[in-house]
Amino acid sequence: MSIPELPRDTPLQQLAEGAANVVYRFVLRQPNYSNDEHVLDEDATPRPSSTSAAAEQLTDHAAFLAVGRLLRLGKALRSRVCNQQSHRYFHGTLESLFPAEYLISLDLIKLPTELIDSCNNQLEEDERFGRRPAKRAGCYLARDEPYGLLITDMTPDLEKREVLIEFKPKWLVQSPTSPPGSRRCRTCALKARRNAGRRLKGKKEEIFLCPLDLASQDIARIKRAVGFLIPPSITSEEHVGELGQRLVEFLLNNPIVPRLQQLQRDLDPLGVLYADVSSSQFLTAMTLRDCTLYLKMRQAGQGPIEARLGDLDLKSPDEGKAEYWRAVEKELIDGGWYTGTEDDPQTDRSWCDLT
């Protein structure tokens, strides 16, 4: 397989930064954003723009990269999986599990030798001037990674009045090792435990939908889940209602969430305490429990919903990850977070529907 090379003079604009990766857009001229605007955190929606407009700004020899594509570069983490391995896993495993139209594509591209240093210099400068989130400080791109990944661009187009909704469906099936008498699903048990810790530190509690509602095929429960998904930037009651109804219809009729749920169930029937944590099936189950679902659609009116799964890098049991997974599960069991018997009177007592 011939791997294309990124032209040395291809200009990049940082689009978003997550815990493990930084994502860039291909552009010719640096947009005139204010200093506090151009760095986005992983929880933020990418800046809306027109990908066709970005393509028009590129030099001819690099234009093929811009149409519908972004560049993802990995950080220097101990648990990092190299991009060649991610690429092999995507094309060797994931493409056989989902139709291509439901996946954020991954394709290798060779990087110019000086690119990583240039990007790291920019990250360091952003840090010095307070333009980079504090929780990302001190972690930079891997200098020993010769490849980047070209990924599908799901940025919404303002001209078409599109909106992007992105979230992690998490554990769509109850943990196989949850104890008898459980009243919370795995995701909500972990959320309750983490919120208890946040309260002790005086931090605001996090709220999230129950994944079991999302995959329930029950209209009332799906409506409850959808209430957590509408972007706060949409303030019109009419648009909120219309968008919510379209999301409910999508989740009732589209196969992507049921498929994700079924694979989680089939690939890990034993649970993290008893499974072979080095097996490819179990690691794929863990990957699918931490992927992101991207939904791109128009804010108002009818039209298709483009749905794709991303963040599908193979999980690794190394560097203490397997021990961490098991320790979390034991804590949720022993601490009563599944059964609602935890020693914390302030914890939310709204239970999951585990039927």
Side-chain angles (χ1 to χ4, degrees), residues 294-313:
Y294 297 87
L295 303 175
K296 186 166 68 172
M297 67 195 80
R298 294 194 177 188
Q299 289 189 33
Q302 296 302 308
I305 295 178
E306 182 178 358
R308 293 181 185 270
L309 294 170
D311 297 330
L312 286 165
D313 298 299

Side-chain angles (χ1 to χ4, degrees), residues 68-81:
R69 309 281 260 176
L70 300 171
L71 176 66
R72 196 187 83 176
L73 302 178
K75 292 183 179 179
L77 303 173
R78 287 197 312 164
S79 58
R80 175 174 65 95
V81 175

